[in-house]
Amino acid sequence: MGRWICCLCSTVADPLMLLLVLALGCNPSTAATASPPVPHAKPSYSFGRTFLGLDKCNACIGTSICKKFFKEEIRFDTWLSSHLKLPPSSLLSYSGNYTDDAKSWRLVDITRLTSKYQHDRADKRICTSLLKTKTCSLERALRRTQRFQKWLRAKRLTPDLVQGLSSPMLRCPSQRLLDRIVRRYAEVPDAGSIYMDHLTDRDKLRLLYTLAVNSHPILLQIFPDVEGWPFPRYLGSCGRLVVSASTRPLRDFFGAAPEVAADLALQLLAVLRSMATNDLNYFFYFTRVDSGTFGVFSNGHLFIRDASTLGIIDKEEGSQLIDGQQEYKDIFSCLTVDCQSAFVSCGSIREKHSLVMVCQDLLPKLLAGKFLPPVRERIDAFLQRCARGLGNDRGASEALAELAEILKPLRSCDSRFAYRYPDCRYSDKY
């Protein structure tokens, strides 16, 4: 058959027949069987160790979710475009997609603990301060510090090991809080122990580095959403990137409809109340709030989106450090802040502290001009009193109750509020 076709190659005159012959070819082996298909080359995504921050480990957050990145089970939104390019490394946060089965995807936030510029400046400070060079092995430099040598010898994380760190969470530490950090540190296999025997030297450096730079991922780990805490779920870290459940910042809702604004304001008040009074007797307070501190899930539920400015006072044990001990400073105290920054005294924090800041910076933007008189006048009058400090005779709980009573009748019950619908139809709670 093959020879017959090859003979036709030189004699056939019909153009259609000629095209058929040329398509089959004059090779007998190819005339009888079709050529095997060329395998489709799968795009290869290259992060680079620098983008993830893996080149800086073990002066990094962790590696628990790196496999997800390299298996393409975490994708940046830009990967869904035809260019398949990574976003700029200079951004502080990214929107991404996460999957466990390669079929269903959910939105996640991929964030840095601080900007790449601040990270680079901190890395340079480590080298110039500790080794007197412009570049160095960050791990080698930090391992030589007196603080980390104490961590290596320690069996238990104690207040003296974290004194002077800039994280608000650690300004008034209790032994109970520090034990909770070790017991629930998610970047290592769960040992359920308050002792650090299950932490390797590498694990200890990563934990110390994270606490020194930004305690946000630690708070998400030790107070998880599945236990009712108002934080997004911590999914893991890779290098200097943290992955958590996605929320839209509260600033996106400043122009929302009145009933949506009232619902979010009531949720915000409920979060402040739970931060001040909870079953574990921890008092959470904000050192700063802005329009990105709180976030909203797709079902309308409000959470604390950025926990980096949260301080914690243990109402059960109290602080284990006196204010004088907090003034201790070393390289870990200065990674992201000015070493001269003054600490807030643990005894100066009051329960209305966070509410006053929210009244000053967030609630006016969320509620102002949204309602008709006389409700608008009542809200404006409350916010003005609250922003001035509520006066010495007003407590936070009474103020929260007053504003909540104004806002409750303004809420609606429909599918826009999926986190409480249709429950709101059958419960007086809403």
Side-chain angles (χ1 to χ4, degrees):
M1 181 69 177
R3 295 192 196 93
W4 181 77
I5 293 175
C6 288
C7 291
L8 283 176
C9 290
S10 58
T11 60
V12 68
D14 190 295
L16 292 175
M17 181 62 74
L18 179 60
L19 287 174
L20 174 63
V21 170
L22 292 175
L24 292 173
C26 291
N27 189 327
S29 63
T30 60
T33 60
S35 300
V38 177
H40 177 66
K42 188 178 182 180
S44 176
Y45 304 105
S46 175
F47 289 97
R49 293 170 59 83
T50 301
F51 181 87
L52 293 171
L54 284 171
D55 58 326
K56 304 298 176 64
C57 281
N58 290 303
C60 63
I61 312 166
T63 57
S64 61
I65 209 166
C66 287
K67 287 184 179 179
K68 283 281 187 182
F69 278 105
F70 292 115
K71 289 168 66 178
E72 300 169 31
E73 293 175 347
I74 295 177
R75 296 185 177 186
F76 293 89
D77 275 354
T78 51
W79 281 20
L80 303 180
S81 70
S82 58
H83 297 91
L84 297 172
K85 291 182 179 179
L86 289 172
S89 60
S90 58
L91 299 180
L92 188 60
S93 63
Y94 312 88
S95 179
N97 299 273
Y98 176 102
T99 185
D100 288 317
D101 55 14
K103 296 178 182 179
S104 58
W105 295 81
R106 52 191 166 118
L107 291 175
V108 293
D109 290 332
I110 305 170
T111 57
R112 301 182 188 277
L113 296 191
T114 187
S115 69
K116 189 175 185 301
Y117 167 76
Q118 289 176 304
H119 267 311
D120 292 343
R121 189 173 65 171
D123 294 343
K124 184 177 180 180
R125 185 183 295 126
I126 291 170
C127 293
T128 55
S129 299
L130 300 178
L131 298 182
K132 311 301 181 185
T133 60
K134 292 184 178 179
T135 59
C136 68
S137 166
L138 299 177
E139 179 176 358
R140 187 179 302 116
L142 293 176
R143 286 178 66 93
R144 293 172 56 180
T145 60
Q146 181 180 3
R147 186 192 293 266
F148 187 66
Q149 288 301 311
K150 290 177 65 177
W151 273 63
L152 289 179
R153 295 189 297 268
K155 293 292 184 180
R156 192 175 183 182
L157 185 59
T158 51
D160 62 297
L161 296 177
V162 299
Q163 64 176 315
L165 296 184
S166 62
S167 168
M169 183 182 74
L170 299 172
R171 290 181 184 176
C172 313
S174 69
Q175 187 60 60
R176 187 168 68 112
L177 176 63
L178 298 180
D179 288 343
R180 190 176 183 88
I181 292 174
V182 173
R183 195 171 63 247
R184 295 186 168 219
Y185 182 42
E187 287 298 310
V188 299
D190 181 17
S193 173
I194 62 174
Y195 297 101
M196 295 197 291
D197 297 335
H198 63 293
L199 300 184
T200 64
D201 294 358
R202 174 201 65 193
D203 298 329
K204 289 182 178 181
L205 181 56
R206 291 178 181 177
L207 176 57
L208 173 56
Y209 180 84
T210 307
L211 291 172
V213 174
N214 187 327
S215 60
H216 170 77
I218 303 299
L219 274 159
L220 269 55
Q221 294 169 42
I222 66 176
F223 298 107
D225 66 309
V226 293
E227 295 180 2
W229 298 97
F231 301 110
R233 180 166 301 181
Y234 176 81
L235 298 173
S237 300
C238 184
R240 290 181 169 177
L241 292 180
V242 178
V243 183
S244 59
S246 176
T247 59
R248 290 176 60 191
L250 187 61
R251 71 174 71 94
D252 291 357
F253 297 86
F254 286 164
E259 61 272 20
V260 174
D263 181 82
L264 292 174
L266 278 166
Q267 288 191 71
L268 184 50
L269 298 181
V271 167
L272 294 181
R273 188 180 297 110
S274 69
M275 294 288 93
T277 305
N278 51 75
D279 292 341
L280 293 185
N281 270 332
Y282 288 115
F283 169 56
F284 297 77
Y285 65 93
F286 287 99
T287 57
R288 186 184 73 255
V289 296
D290 58 36
S291 57
T293 300
F294 296 89
V296 183
F297 284 122
S298 58
N299 65 356
H301 205 172
L302 181 138
F303 276 61
I304 296 175
R305 190 171 191 257
D306 178 7
S308 63
T309 63
L310 271 179
I312 302 178
I313 295 176
D314 191 335
K315 294 195 291 185
E316 187 171 305
E317 285 191 2
S319 172
Q320 303 298 310
L321 283 180
I322 61 174
D323 291 338
Q325 289 176 293
Q326 292 178 330
E327 297 304 320
Y328 173 85
K329 297 287 195 328
D330 66 355
I331 188 63
F332 288 99
S333 309
C334 316
L335 291 182
T336 57
V337 298
D338 184 355
C339 276
Q340 304 305 315
S341 298
F343 285 109
V344 176
S345 171
C346 299
S348 66
I349 307 299
R350 299 290 180 265
E351 287 197 358
K352 62 183 180 181
H353 180 88
S354 297
L355 176 60
V356 170
M357 285 194 295
V358 166
C359 287
Q360 292 172 340
D361 300 321
L362 295 183
L363 289 179
K365 298 174 184 176
L366 184 63
L367 298 175
K370 294 283 176 67
F371 307 99
L372 297 174
V375 173
R376 183 174 63 194
E377 283 83 356
R378 293 181 63 193
I379 292 175
D380 291 344
F382 174 88
L383 293 180
Q384 290 174 10
R385 294 199 318 272
C386 180
R388 290 195 296 265
L390 293 172
N392 295 329
D393 57 339
R394 290 296 304 276
S397 57
E398 293 85 356
L400 288 168
E402 177 185 347
L403 183 57
E405 286 305 311
I406 300 174
L407 294 173
K408 280 180 180 179
L410 305 176
R411 288 197 302 183
S412 64
C413 180
D414 58 63
S415 58
R416 288 177 299 171
F417 310 100
Y419 79 96
R420 58 181 174 89
Y421 182 84
D423 294 352
C424 54
R425 290 193 177 276
Y426 312 104
S427 173
D428 294 335
K429 176 183 177 183
Y430 300 105

